[in-house]
Amino acid sequence: MKFEVTILGSSSATPIYNRNPTSQALNINDHWYMVDCGEGTQQQMLRFDIKASKIDHIFISHLHGDHYLGLVGLLSSLHLNGRKKELNIYCPPALKEIVDLQLKYSETTLQYPLIYNFTSADAAAVILDNDDIIVETIPLDHRIACTGFLFRQKKRLRKLIKEKLEELDIPVPYYTSLKKGNDYTAPDGTLYKNELLTTDSDQPKTYCYCSDTLYNEQYFKQISNASLLYHEATFLHDMLDRAGETHHTTALQAAQIALKTHAEKLLIGHFSARYKKLDELLEEAQSVFPETELAIEGKTFIIS
């Protein structure tokens, strides 16, 4: 099953040095999801060939502008381009008031249903459960209410060993039952155990998106064993005091989190505008957790 994330923006509070504020697009089995929508996200989508019309779910971590100021423009463009199908937004409750105010004073009535699913930073909760994935909120420790998002694949059905099925002349109508793990009894009464006819599907993968937060072990258990962990790394560790003042994480701390939670791979982003080049941030994180990469805009990371 396809499971990948494309970086649309990786800057922190302001766009600078060809870096845009935070946004990501997830492709999960050819269904598209957006995580945060900073200023300039629409231009980034055009630049990296992400079709806005395919996105049916948008997740907003918190209400600092670098994570949502691109949203109203995107909603407006979808309206102008004739969207009719509903769009789900998962967000803090106050975002509805912000969007409603914008639409009110522009005298805009969207042609499509906008469905709000309100999040809370008080406790983790499942906010989406469909055929492909389960999405949970991750309560974080930021200056205002903020959640990350955990995307967990659902376990797929077992895989058929077609050569064995053909050899035993098992009728096609039994295939679905076999995929679900059931045994097969032949017309002559012979029982064939499922493990002889099928193989297990791949283990489900997880993507953890940890937006703005202080280093706080309270969310470590929830994000443990991530296939890919995205964690903000706004500053180098020599700016630890500043990170504390602004409720952010350093690159070194992000790496320590990946190490302690047994992540398979770490992706760092939300870089401060003070850093024109990002090599130092990467080197600092890799000194603790070698399997670290930068959230470079336009790059797609396959979660495997």
Side-chain angles (χ1 to χ4, degrees), residues 16-27:
I16 197 164
Y17 307 125
N18 296 315
R19 297 198 303 265
N20 282 257
T22 300
S23 185
Q24 300 181 3
L26 274 67
N27 182 353

Side-chain angles (χ1 to χ4, degrees), residues 20 47 72 74 113 133 144 224-225 233 293:
N20 282 257
R47 181 181 176 192
V72 173
L74 177 58
I133 56 167
I144 63 173
S224 291
N225 302 305
E293 290 196 48

